Amino acid sequence: EWRRKYPDVRFIPIEKNKGFAPTVNIGFRISTGKWLGTINDDVTLTKDWLKNLLICAGKSIGSINPIVKKVDGSIESQGIKVLPKGKAKPIIELVPKVCHEVDATNAAAVIYSKEALNKVGLFDEKFGSYLEDIDLSLRLKRAGYKNIVSAKSEIIHMGQLTSKKLG
């Protein structure tokens, strides 16, 4: 029984999976912490990843990402660059600054300021799964918040293991 093993965790039964955005929003709505976040089920967390994210926390910060690495150690993403005409691409070039600003953060593993989410709203549920993180990041940026990547924090992303099974 999970509830006995993790007595400090609040379990929320969800009858039907309606996609990433609606499911995560259920948790965001009942969360009470200063920072809330998402971690995909195909992510491996490294030692002190959260502590190393929070070194970039501040009043005007809306979201913070770790460096997202692939299993082979190469960089999958150091945030996301939004291009003209609505396109976006992951930033893979190393950035020497510990806390650097990006256009958008990657929801594979990210934390959001609860205060910022209260102002701009949660994930837009019309997206279901994919691109909702870019949309939320752009709304945070428009409201004056910064999307940040902490170069001190890393996670390993296996890459779409769950969505490949869904077809």
Side-chain angles (χ1 to χ4, degrees):
E1 170 75 49
W2 288 97
R3 292 177 198 278
R4 273 195 303 273
K5 190 172 181 181
Y6 301 101
D8 295 330
V9 173
R10 182 170 178 186
F11 290 89
I12 306 165
I14 299 172
E15 291 185 23
K16 184 177 181 204
N17 184 349
K18 295 181 180 176
F20 181 83
T23 303
V24 169
N25 284 347
I26 290 169
F28 279 0
R29 283 185 189 101
I30 65 162
S31 295
T32 58
K34 184 175 179 178
W35 292 94
L36 3 146
T38 65
I39 302 170
N40 283 8
D41 62 351
D42 59 352
V43 162
T44 301
L45 303 172
T46 58
K47 186 176 185 338
D48 295 329
W49 74 276
L50 183 57
K51 180 176 94 175
N52 290 330
L53 273 187
L54 289 171
I55 62 173
C56 295
K59 185 153 179 57
S60 63
I61 307 302
S63 68
I64 310 172
N65 246 161
I67 294 174
V68 180
K69 289 194 169 181
K70 297 178 185 176
V71 177
D72 66 7
S74 64
I75 294 175
E76 177 181 308
S77 165
Q78 286 194 110
I80 298 165
K81 172 84 175 144
V82 176
L83 304 172
K85 299 184 182 178
K87 298 210 180 247
K89 72 173 194 166
I91 300 166
I92 57 172
E93 304 81 22
L94 280 174
V95 180
K97 200 171 173 189
V98 172
C99 301
H100 59 277
E101 188 173 357
V102 294
D103 293 331
T105 49
N106 179 338
V110 63
I111 60 172
Y112 295 99
S113 159
K114 175 81 170 183
E115 175 187 310
L117 292 180
N118 286 339
K119 288 184 181 169
V120 305
L122 305 176
F123 286 126
D124 184 334
E125 296 184 10
K126 288 182 288 219
F127 284 96
S129 298
Y130 300 109
L131 302 177
E132 69 288 325
D133 49 358
I134 295 173
D135 171 71
L136 179 53
S137 294
L138 291 175
R139 286 188 282 129
L140 287 166
K141 194 172 180 175
R142 249 184 266 125
Y145 293 97
K146 294 178 183 172
N147 299 301
I148 300 292
V149 173
S150 171
K152 294 276 187 189
S153 181
E154 295 180 357
I155 57 103
I156 300 160
H157 186 213
M158 311 310 169
Q160 299 179 336
L161 290 182
T162 303
S163 62
K164 283 180 188 172
K165 295 175 189 171
L166 298 175

